[in-house]
Structure formats: C-alpha cells, structure tokens
Amino acid sequence: MKRFFKIFFLVIFAIFILIQLYPRPKKNNDNSRNTADIAVTFSTPADVQNILKNSCNDCHSNYTVYPWYSSIQPVAWWLGDHISEGKKELNFSEFGTYSLRKKYKKFDEIIKEVEEDKMPIEDYTNIHSDAKLSPEEKAILIKWATFHQGEMKRLYPADSLIRKK
C-alpha cells in the first residue's frame, strides 16, 4: 500500500510539473487610461474610484493586479477564466462603448449585485479581505449608480433605456 501511495504522489507531482510548461493565459494588463473608462464617461468621485479599484477592477476592467500565485498552473487558468468572465459581464474600462440601454442596465445590475452582497464574489473576498464592501462603501456605490440611472432617465427617452417586453 505504501508503494501505491508513493507512485501515486510521484505521478501527481509529475503532472503538476508538466502543466507548468503549458502556456498561461495572456495577462490582463492594459494600464492605459482610455476614453471609454467609466471614470471618464461618467462623473466618478474619488471615493467611488477607490472602491472600484479595490473591490471590482481586478475582474471588471482591463487591468488586473495579479497575486504571486497567479503564475502557477492550474491557478493561472482559473484566474484567467474568472477575469475573462468578469470582463464579459461588465468592463469598467470599456463602459463608454456600451449602448445607452446597456449602460442603464449595468447600473441597475451594480445596484442589485451590491445590495444582495453578490459582488465582490466570496471567492475573491476570501483571498482579498480588504475588497469586501463595508456598509458605507455599499451605500456609496448604490447612491452613485442610482444617481447616474436617474440622470439617464432625465436626459433620454425611456424607450432608449429600457427594452419593451
């Protein structure tokens, strides 16, 4: 039985070493400030920018601050997939390119996700405990997103913001 476990662990170790040779996902490191960034296209006070930077941007922007373990497989694959999915859902770096309807909807989703404690996700806050939103930070984000939704309602016809069913 000892021999079996020894061989088993050697095989697992060999597989671990071999997958380190497999290419890692491309890093999400476009640190350029572009004109489509949410902070450029919508008034975003410093406190909101800090909250987004600390709790959201690693997964929802074109710039991720990678932890040391992000170069180890299979963690690199998992993080790459997670970031890709997050950016597909909402990308603060590309927010200005969204249609009016999509911007309005994304503000609504921000409000709901924050109110329901769905964002940032638990997997992220377990490792980055400082990213967990305090009640005050949640209130700031909700107020900010609600304000911009109200401004959009005031400036644009309802049918350009909400799809009729």
Side-chain angles (χ1 to χ4, degrees), residues 79-159:
L79 285 176
D81 184 59
H82 186 76
I83 292 165
S84 176
E85 288 295 316
K87 286 175 59 174
K88 188 166 63 172
E89 217 32 66
L90 170 64
N91 187 340
F92 289 119
S93 298
E94 305 297 329
F95 200 84
T97 65
Y98 294 172
S99 69
L100 282 175
R101 186 174 285 138
K102 187 172 181 178
K103 289 174 189 171
Y104 187 84
K105 183 179 183 208
K106 291 302 172 186
F107 278 126
D108 192 50
E109 289 174 3
I110 290 168
I111 294 165
K112 288 178 182 170
E113 297 283 315
V114 170
E115 282 178 339
E116 296 171 5
D117 289 324
K118 291 183 179 177
M119 282 291 150
I121 63 170
E122 191 174 351
D123 282 352
Y124 187 75
T125 58
N126 283 340
I127 297 168
H128 305 276
S129 57
D130 60 326
K132 185 155 179 59
L133 297 174
S134 69
E136 295 80 18
E137 290 171 322
K138 288 165 64 173
I140 290 167
L141 279 179
I142 291 167
K143 181 179 176 185
W144 170 75
T146 302
F147 169 78
H148 285 300
Q149 269 197 313
E151 284 296 291
M152 291 177 80
K153 278 184 186 178
R154 186 177 67 76
L155 295 170
Y156 303 104
D159 64 344

Side-chain angles (χ1 to χ4, degrees), residues 18-43:
L18 287 174
I19 65 172
Q20 302 312 308
L21 302 174
Y22 196 80
R24 285 152 184 72
K26 184 177 180 248
K27 295 250 180 184
N28 185 41
N29 282 333
D30 179 9
N31 198 18
S32 63
R33 181 127 166 126
N34 69 43
T35 57
D37 192 273
I38 195 163
V40 174
T41 57
F42 285 87
S43 65

Side-chain angles (χ1 to χ4, degrees), residues 10-69:
L10 283 173
V11 168
I12 295 297
F13 183 71
I15 291 170
F16 178 77
I17 296 300
L18 287 174
I19 65 172
Q20 302 312 308
L21 302 174
Y22 196 80
R24 285 152 184 72
K26 184 177 180 248
K27 295 250 180 184
N28 185 41
N29 282 333
D30 179 9
N31 198 18
S32 63
R33 181 127 166 126
N34 69 43
T35 57
D37 192 273
I38 195 163
V40 174
T41 57
F42 285 87
S43 65
T44 307
D47 56 350
V48 173
Q49 287 184 40
N50 287 335
I51 294 167
L52 295 178
K53 181 181 178 188
N54 191 46
S55 299
C56 309
N57 284 351
D58 276 349
C59 300
H60 295 287
S61 77
N62 290 342
Y63 184 72
T64 300
V65 177
Y66 287 92
W68 65 268
Y69 50 84

